[in-house]
Amino acid sequence: MSAPAIEVRGLTKSFGALHVAQLIDLSLARGARAALIGPNGAGKTTFVNLLTGVLVADAGAISLDGARVDRLSPAARVRRGLVRTHQINTLLRETSARENVALAIAERDGCAWRMLAYRRVWAACLEEADARLADLGFGASADDAAGSLPYGLQRLLEIAIAISLKPRVLLLDEPAAGVPSGEAHAIHTAIDRLPKETAVLMIEHDMDMVFRFAQEIVVLVQGRVLMRGAPAEIAANAEVRTVYLGRSRP
Amino acid sequence: MIARAGNWAMRAAPWLAAIAVNWIAPDYMSLAASVLTMGLFALSLDLALGHAGIVTLGHGAFYGVGAYAAGIFAIHVWADPLAGLAAATLVAGLVGAVTGALILDTSGLTLMMLTLAIASMIAEFANSARDLTGGDDGLTGIRPSPVLGLFRFDLWGHTAYLYTLAVVFVWTMIAWRILGSPFGHSLDGVRQNAARMRAIGAPVRMRLIAAYALSAAMAGTAGALGAQATKTVSLASLGVLTSGTVLMVAVLGGMRRRWGAYLGALVYVVGQNFAAEIDPFRWMLVIGLMMIAVVMFFENGLAGLVDLLDRRARPSTGGGK
């Protein structure tokens, strides 16, 4: 037996009369590949913020591998394995790409409190960071300050950092948004090669990407789950087509 | 290998020079000790402000707390200088941890005002606790016993200087080690983007409190060294002017630069000493102009200027690291 990687029950949040999340249920098994779609203002970002703890839900439960996390701070949830990437880059811009990744590794291993381990521990973090970046095809850019990287590489670095945290559950927030098509290939490859055991929820507008990636799609409209199902079911559903797909897929 | 040896020589040379000062400039021992003490103080600020990004205008409080703690300890408990130093370091570190826990969930202007407010409160406390601190008469009667029971503080200040140098050396090595550790790198991360650090699971507030306490402890050591060298502590040591001076020294020397704090201290303290004999007002003018030049043109302070000249002198090495 094993509990779902993440289980959400009855997640609810209102800002005054505005119900941004209404009794949302979601369950992802280990290794799941799911996508969350919905029109603008459907509450996708709110949902992500509730999961990561940036917003506190009015009601509902969030469990990782069967353990409740909804009372934990955002950073503590990350340490439990709930990791997200950001739509807008939030990299340490003055720091090199490899050190951006190495910092995540240091936090993951809990060695970021080590003050007097001068080179050894940090060198180990850097070494793993190099391996991770080489995997993703970073090449010589690993030494460049994150802020000076081309946009596509910044997004790739964002993914590299997330993977380095060895998440149980990974929330990918529009991973390829704004990336020029010439640089998008590397990001698609990185997404295809995400660790098998990680449950991934992609929040995405690009339907081609969603249908390529997801085994299950959840449609969110006005803070509610309108429908969930396999990509084929979602594509065939008339209601979904009206509220959402109709606009992007004539 | 040669580059590595050269690197070591580069790092050792300033320390060897500092030892040599003991014989080269025997008439300036107390001035030289002040440079070191101020350098250590500026290094402590660089840790909190330069690396961790904690905007503080109240760092003088920790210097003063360390100075008073060392003085009071020497008078009432034990005159041993190293024990006094340890006590001062601990007390200042504790004050840093407690005040840090109170204020470090704020940032920017709010944090700056809170550091100022806490420093003012500590200064006012020292002013009213006359029995302990001597109030505005200052604390006098500090008579440290010989270092390790062996080396008497002599009239010319040789012992005081070498003792200060040894303490400063130890703290600087610890500071450099910390800055090269995962902890040190995470502080640079927090300064750049606290949200990002939370997103990789870093307990940002605890990390900042640790850095602040560490920095306060280091500032406390500097204060204790000052108290033991001058054998007095005045209320001014806790004051806003002390906080402002150390900020100027740190910026002048160059934040986040290996030798920045000590370069800044060297120029500031030596300059002030000689200029004060000639014309104290013009000295403030000179310091003011230097600050403007540094802030406008040399982002990395005097340390950055040295790098620039170094690169000019050896253009073949390219713009590497």
Side-chain angles (χ1 to χ4, degrees), chain A residues 79 94-95 107 116 122 158, chain B residues 177 185 192 196 201 207:
Chain A
R79 292 196 289 276
E94 299 167 28
T95 303
E107 296 296 343
L116 295 177
W122 184 240
E158 181 93 26
Chain B
R177 221 178 159 87
H185 287 276
Q192 289 179 57
R196 151 60 56 181
R207 203 70 42 93

Side-chain angles (χ1 to χ4, degrees), chain B residues 253 257 263 294 298 300-311:
Chain B
R257 303 305 301 246
L263 268 175
V294 161
F298 306 108
N300 294 316
L302 294 172
L305 191 62
V306 170
D307 283 1
L308 209 67
L309 296 174
D310 190 43
R311 220 172 301 152

Side-chain angles (χ1 to χ4, degrees), chain B residues 99-191:
Chain B
T99 58
L102 291 173
I103 63 175
L104 283 173
D105 43 9
T106 68
S107 62
L109 191 60
T110 315
L111 177 58
M112 199 154 81
M113 289 301 119
L114 287 173
T115 59
L116 199 59
I118 284 177
S120 309
M121 281 160 64
I122 291 176
E124 188 43 45
F125 173 78
N127 186 26
S128 30
R130 294 192 68 91
D131 293 343
L132 209 54
T133 63
D136 49 16
D137 295 336
L139 183 68
T140 51
I142 303 167
R143 271 182 289 273
S145 61
V147 181
L148 301 168
L150 293 173
F151 306 103
R152 192 168 285 287
F153 282 94
D154 56 306
L155 211 55
W156 301 272
H158 287 291
T159 306
Y161 175 70
L162 292 173
Y163 163 72
T164 303
L165 180 58
V167 173
V168 164
F169 175 77
V170 169
W171 249 129
T172 307
M173 289 301 133
I174 293 174
W176 287 354
R177 221 178 159 87
I178 288 171
L179 291 175
S181 72
F183 175 81
H185 287 276
S186 85
L187 294 183
D188 281 313
V190 171
R191 181 191 78 249

Side-chain angles (χ1 to χ4, degrees), chain A residues 74-75 78-79 83 86 90-95 99-100 103-104 106-108 111-119 121-122 125 158 161 165, chain B residues 11 174 176-186 188-193 196-203 206-207 210 214 256 258 321:
Chain A
V78 173
R79 292 196 289 276
V83 172
H86 294 79
T90 58
L91 300 165
L92 304 175
R93 301 180 60 81
E94 299 167 28
T95 303
E99 289 186 332
N100 263 280
L103 276 170
E107 296 296 343
R108 180 199 73 202
C111 64
W113 279 108
R114 298 286 295 274
M115 296 185 189
L116 295 177
Y118 185 37
R119 297 205 180 262
V121 177
W122 184 240
C125 295
E158 181 93 26
I161 291 167
L165 292 166
Chain B
R11 286 190 196 181
I174 293 174
W176 287 354
R177 221 178 159 87
I178 288 171
L179 291 175
S181 72
F183 175 81
H185 287 276
S186 85
D188 281 313
V190 171
R191 181 191 78 249
Q192 289 179 57
N193 192 337
R196 151 60 56 181
M197 293 307 287
R198 285 191 194 95
I200 61 173
M206 288 309 291
R207 203 70 42 93
L214 200 67
R256 297 195 290 282
R258 185 173 287 272
K321 314 196 171 182

Side-chain angles (χ1 to χ4, degrees), chain B residues 212-261:
Chain B
Y212 198 59
L214 200 67
S215 163
M218 198 187 287
T221 308
L225 287 173
Q228 291 173 344
T230 60
K231 304 193 172 54
T232 56
V233 185
S234 75
L235 277 179
S237 70
L238 283 161
V240 178
L241 201 60
T242 308
S243 302
T245 302
V246 71
L247 185 60
M248 278 207 278
V249 169
V251 172
L252 188 66
M255 292 273 191
R256 297 195 290 282
R257 303 305 301 246
R258 185 173 287 272
W259 296 104

Side-chain angles (χ1 to χ4, degrees), chain A residues 22-96:
Chain A
Q22 302 183 58
L23 296 170
I24 299 177
D25 292 339
L26 178 84
S27 173
L28 298 180
R30 191 159 303 165
R33 294 287 183 268
L36 182 70
I37 64 171
N40 282 329
K44 300 189 296 291
T45 302
T46 304
F47 180 61
V48 169
N49 286 337
L50 287 170
L51 288 185
T52 55
V54 173
L55 289 174
V56 177
D58 299 335
I62 305 165
S63 310
L64 287 178
D65 280 340
R68 291 281 290 267
V69 297
D70 33 279
R71 293 290 176 86
L72 298 179
S73 72
R77 293 184 200 194
V78 173
R79 292 196 289 276
R80 296 289 186 88
L82 177 57
V83 172
R84 70 167 293 187
T85 64
H86 294 79
Q87 240 182 81
I88 303 158
N89 281 318
T90 58
L91 300 165
L92 304 175
R93 301 180 60 81
E94 299 167 28
T95 303
S96 71

